[in-house]
Amino acid sequence: MKKIINLFKMPSKSDFILHVAIIGLAVFGFVMVISASMGLSIGDNRYLVFTGAKLAIFTFIGYMGMVFCAKHFTFEKVAKNSMILMFGTIIALMACLLFAGSGGAKAWIRLPIPGREVTIQPSEFAKIIFMIILATYLGDDRKKYDSWWEFVKIPVCFVLICVCIVWFLQSDFGSAVVLFLIAVFCYLIPRKPILRISQYLLVMLGIIGIIGVVLMLYTKTGENIIYSLPFQQYQINRILSSINPFIDEYNTGYQLINGLVAFATGGLFGKGFGNSVRKYTDFPASNTDFILAIVVEELGFVGFLVIAIGYLTIIFVLFKYAFRIRSEKAKIVLVGVAMYMFIHFLFNVGGVTGFIPLTGVPLLMISAGGSSTTSLMMAIGIAQAIISQYRKGLII
């Protein structure tokens, strides 16, 4: 019996608040996915059961993965198997091209389950691999290098190859941007003279990029530039819809308008759990990318605060330890996991409220995405391993 219990126990010295926060988000997300899926289950009574069972299974796998990573992750093991991890990630991303995609992207591997669609998205797990590979190659390395390129060529080439596969071959621009931003934030952590110039350049390019996006979205000249971007038509339509969804309110703007209506009718306390009207209409992605609209419609701004507090708690704990720990490898991973959550939150909330274009990025632990739920819980497990090792004195 003790052996079974130990399978579910986090290691000693792990952070209790971090553990409670991620479990709280998982429970809240599960309940809201079931509620948001009620409208989709009309005419198919088994859909709701299947959706709940699938999410429960992925969450359970994610929890077990979190506990396993928390107990067994070490940078020494990653260093020994870094090449296997990188080549395995690239192969998994390429494997998606052999299977039918969903929507305009080919980013999923379909599992052979008859009658129902169950998929795995390798790019979600690539986000974890990015963090630990960049930490392994760029953190705490005291060897002498003749040039900047000699120092960074392996992790940088790995990141660029994966981002290009996801963007150009899988046609999943949103995931490609998230992967790239996670890599950038991880790259900015090490305090090495050989990296300083490139880090300054990345910061400057980031500032210029943000200014450019704002000008493009909120000026007339910017709207004209959008049409010349090297994107597919549906991606251009998403950008234009974020500027004014009422230009094509029954087509490209339909999803965003419905989301805004749900937000407007939710108010402070919402209509009550289960009482959403939008989920019973033809509202696309009501239990995935746009689940926040259903949450706010049913639970109001209070429901949004529950999610925000959960996210902020996890991010605060991760940054607290990142500032305390001197190990650059540990800092890179802790900051990487925190930014992983923050970027998803920013892109999803910004997209469903119309502040930025829709990217198809899920709201982690809340949307009905099995891969994203499992991936984040494993990332939290790796962070817990680092925290536990730090509190035991194994990491300085």
Side-chain angles (χ1 to χ4, degrees), residues 23 74 118 272 286 298:
I23 297 302
T74 64
V118 178
S286 60
E298 293 189 352

Coordinates of all heavy atoms in Angstrom, one line a residue, residues 23 74 118 272 286 298:
I23 N -2.9 21.9 -9.0 CA -4.1 20.9 -8.8 C -5.4 21.7 -8.8 O -6.4 21.3 -9.4 CB -3.9 20.1 -7.5 CG1 -2.7 19.3 -7.5 CG2 -5.1 19.3 -7.2 CD1 -2.6 18.3 -8.7
T74 N 17.2 15.4 -13.3 CA 18.5 16.0 -12.9 C 19.1 16.5 -14.2 O 18.9 15.9 -15.3 CB 19.5 15.0 -12.2 OG1 19.8 14.0 -13.2 CG2 18.9 14.4 -11.0
V118 N -8.8 11.5 -30.9 CA -7.8 11.7 -29.8 C -6.5 12.0 -30.5 O -6.0 11.2 -31.2 CB -7.7 10.5 -28.9 CG1 -6.7 10.7 -27.8 CG2 -9.1 10.1 -28.3
G272 N -24.3 32.2 -13.5 CA -24.4 31.0 -12.7 C -23.8 29.8 -13.5 O -23.8 29.7 -14.7
S286 N -15.7 26.5 -28.1 CA -16.2 26.9 -26.8 C -15.6 26.2 -25.6 O -15.6 26.7 -24.5 CB -17.8 26.8 -26.8 OG -18.1 25.4 -26.9
E298 N -20.5 32.5 -17.3 CA -21.2 31.7 -16.2 C -20.7 32.2 -14.8 O -21.6 32.3 -13.9 CB -20.8 30.2 -16.3 CG -21.4 29.6 -17.6 CD -21.3 28.1 -17.6 OE1 -20.6 27.5 -16.7 OE2 -21.9 27.5 -18.5

